[in-house]
Amino acid sequence: MVLGLASAALARGVPTLVVDIDPQADATLGLDITAEITTNVATVMGASRRNAQKVNVVPSGWASSGGTLDVLPGSHDMAALDRPTGSERTLARLSHAIHQLEGYQLVLIDCPPSLGTITRSGLAASQRALVVSEPALFSVTAADRALHAIDEVRRNIAPTLQPLGVVVNRYRERSPEHRYRLQELSDMFGPLVLGPSIRERSALQQAQGASQPIHRWPGAPAQELAHAFDAHLARVLRANTRGRRPAPAEGGPVRAEASPA
């Protein structure tokens, strides 16, 4: 989901930073980084405030022909930082790091599917939280847990955090099971279930395998996916306009956290 939103933001000319806190670091791989990485998210989040690291971002290869799309790269070392709980100081480290960075209208934080310290840190640094669910039984129950976790973080750490909604990923319209689970999600969460669903298309895997944005991938299926991500990006940007925190004159970033349930 984060790669699709980043592709839409680049196509729209929105200066964007992607923060990859998933220990798998798939977003970092997909964003075609060729520059030397001197700082990754593990070194930033693993340091105490006294020994805080300077945050250095790198450009995505997607922006080589124009636009701003930068990355705070992920690292497999993040797995060692993921615990069931974390202190408020620990959970605030990512937010402090992001506040060092300027010049972005949108900050996208790619989280792991677990709800430990890493994901809660991403939530604490966010203004809006987007839950990504597949149309399957276990994913539906995980989406419910994710929304409860968002509410917990909002009440205890980040009072301005709000759920943006739930997006269904890898959806097949012809599958009775997928249609049933989509209806189940709609019955459970009502207007929090956001359309359009992201259809399962091989074009998405092909674009990601080639480290290319979906907006540049040829073919009608890729265009369909690009339009879906455009719609979700527009919703993210509208949400920032309605619920903006006090910010500098230029308006401050949207921090949208993607949490695949």
Side-chain angles (χ1 to χ4, degrees), residues 11-260:
R12 185 166 171 166
V14 177
T16 298
L17 170 68
V18 174
V19 180
D20 186 2
I21 64 174
D22 189 335
Q24 296 295 323
D26 290 339
T28 299
L29 179 63
L31 286 162
D32 189 28
I33 295 171
T34 58
E36 180 183 3
I37 296 175
T38 59
T39 304
N40 64 51
V41 72
T43 58
V44 170
M45 290 187 63
S48 65
R49 184 175 294 189
R50 178 179 299 176
N51 298 313
Q53 302 290 307
K54 184 178 185 298
V55 181
N56 295 311
V57 300
V58 291
S60 165
W62 292 6
S64 59
S65 34
T68 299
L69 179 59
D70 293 339
V71 187
L72 177 52
S75 168
H76 299 303
D77 292 338
M78 285 293 290
L81 303 177
D82 204 16
R83 302 177 180 89
T85 60
S87 68
E88 186 171 335
R89 180 176 297 178
T90 299
L91 295 177
R93 285 177 186 164
L94 182 63
S95 183
H96 292 318
I98 291 174
H99 277 293
Q100 297 180 35
L101 304 170
E102 299 178 349
Y104 302 105
Q105 187 179 344
L106 177 67
V107 179
L108 299 168
I109 305 174
D110 190 26
C111 295
S114 63
L115 294 173
T117 300
I118 295 176
T119 294
R120 291 173 189 273
S121 296
L123 289 169
S126 300
Q127 293 175 333
R128 296 290 183 270
L130 189 63
V131 177
V132 182
S133 177
E134 294 186 11
L137 172 62
F138 298 135
S139 295
V140 170
T141 57
D144 187 48
R145 291 195 299 270
L147 287 170
H148 279 91
I150 292 164
D151 184 61
E152 178 190 342
V153 171
R154 179 189 61 78
R155 287 186 284 107
N156 296 322
I157 305 169
T160 57
L161 172 66
Q162 295 292 334
L164 184 62
V166 179
V167 175
V168 176
N169 192 26
R170 296 181 179 176
Y171 179 68
R172 297 195 305 272
E173 177 65 35
R174 294 183 179 180
S175 167
E177 173 68 9
H178 284 200
R179 294 197 303 270
Y180 177 83
R181 295 304 173 188
L182 179 59
Q183 184 60 53
E184 183 179 32
L185 281 165
S186 298
D187 292 342
M188 290 176 66
F189 306 124
L192 279 177
V193 179
L194 307 176
S197 298
I198 306 301
R199 300 293 182 96
E200 187 170 52
R201 296 284 187 262
S202 60
L204 187 59
Q205 286 73 43
Q206 291 166 355
Q208 290 175 351
S211 297
Q212 290 292 316
I214 192 64
H215 285 68
R216 293 183 194 154
W217 200 252
Q223 291 178 13
E224 175 194 18
L225 291 167
H227 290 320
F229 287 119
D230 287 341
H232 290 299
L233 175 67
R235 184 178 285 111
V236 170
L237 298 177
R238 286 197 303 271
N240 185 52
T241 301
R242 290 195 302 269
R244 182 173 292 157
R245 292 176 178 173
E250 67 269 22
V254 181
R255 284 183 289 281
E257 179 272 331
S259 175

